[in-house]
Amino acid sequence: GMEGLRVSSVLLTGCDGGLGLGLLKGLLEQPSPPRHLFAACLDPQGKGCGHQPVPKPSCLLADVTDPNSIKAAVRKVREEVGSAGLNLLINNTSTTRRSTLATETAENMSLVYTTNTIGPLQTSQAFLPLLKEAAEAQGQREMSCSRAAIINISSILGSIEVAEAWEERQDICYRCSKAALNMLTKCLALEYGSSGILCVSVDPGRV
């Protein structure tokens, strides 16, 4: 779990329901919740954001497939955190389409890849300046979620080696998008690591 996580500012995407909403509640229930918690939803008026216990997160409209929407979210975050920057970006927005190899389509592949892989890329690029500021603001040397980090919520279904649950769900578009997300995480780590930004993929397990 997230016990003992002490982090000043967090942006969590995909808070409209499911895992995102669960993560949001987990962050709010911390002994010392983040001072700035940004819940990025497609529908800020929806169940994800509106009905949270205090402290209430700042709810941002964020469509990770739309660069202008991401830019607007960056501006809002900057207004609140100032020169302290953003400590933790959790790229959780995810979509899937049920499919098999026989039924998979180019349309499915494009749609799912745009949300699951390009979305986290664009979001990470846009928030890099704020993450860098946080990495520099913290006096600590070692990399951590409390200093500056990008966490990409991936899936065991993206593992090429494990090839989990093939009989249950082939979902080619989803598997390919998550395998690509894992490579994106590796690229982010190679490029942003020198700035003190931790970049990891995590599989949330069965949710």
Side-chain angles (χ1 to χ4, degrees):
M2 295 185 278
E3 297 79 30
L5 177 72
R6 285 181 167 276
V7 56
S8 180
S9 58
V10 182
L11 174 83
L12 173 63
T13 69
C15 291
D16 288 285
L19 179 62
L21 195 50
L23 284 169
L24 185 62
K25 286 182 174 148
L27 285 164
L28 286 166
E29 285 159 8
Q30 290 300 298
S32 50
R35 204 170 39 159
H36 302 285
L37 179 55
F38 303 95
C41 323
L42 286 169
D43 176 16
Q45 263 53 64
K47 61 173 194 250
C49 289
H51 309 291
Q52 290 304 323
V54 234
K56 205 166 176 294
S58 298
C59 299
L60 310 177
L61 170 69
D63 175 359
V64 300
T65 66
D66 174 9
N68 289 324
S69 178
I70 298 169
K71 277 188 195 125
V74 172
R75 284 195 299 272
K76 286 250 179 66
V77 170
R78 185 172 280 294
E79 278 169 26
E80 281 199 39
V81 301
S83 60
L86 177 69
N87 298 118
L88 181 56
L89 168 62
I90 305 175
N91 287 313
N92 167 67
T93 308
S94 192
T95 189
T96 187
R97 293 285 183 276
R98 298 316 298 264
S99 65
T100 62
L101 262 179
T103 63
E104 192 56 270
T105 62
E107 186 189 18
N108 266 356
M109 290 291 282
S110 299
L111 203 146
V112 172
Y113 191 88
T114 298
T115 298
N116 294 5
T117 314
I118 299 173
L121 167 67
Q122 293 183 142
T123 308
S124 299
Q125 286 171 326
F127 280 96
L128 175 62
L130 282 164
L131 289 159
K132 272 186 168 168
E133 281 176 34
E136 286 158 17
Q138 294 280 346
Q140 52 185 313
R141 276 267 169 276
E142 72 282 356
M143 292 202 282
S144 75
C145 288
S146 303
R147 182 185 175 192
I150 297 171
I151 298 179
N152 291 327
I153 306 293
S154 187
S155 168
I156 190 70
L157 296 182
S159 165
I160 291 170
E161 196 180 345
V162 179
E164 181 93 355
W166 179 251
E167 306 304 325
E168 292 163 46
R169 45 183 293 208
Q170 294 192 355
D171 293 6
I172 313 302
C173 52
Y174 184 78
R175 287 176 186 270
C176 290
S177 74
K178 291 298 191 178
L181 177 64
N182 291 341
M183 177 52 92
L184 173 64
T185 302
K186 181 69 178 174
C187 296
L188 290 168
L190 289 167
E191 185 64 16
Y192 294 178
S194 58
S195 300
I197 301 167
L198 177 71
C199 302
V200 292
S201 277
V202 298
D203 166 36
R206 294 201 172 259
V207 186

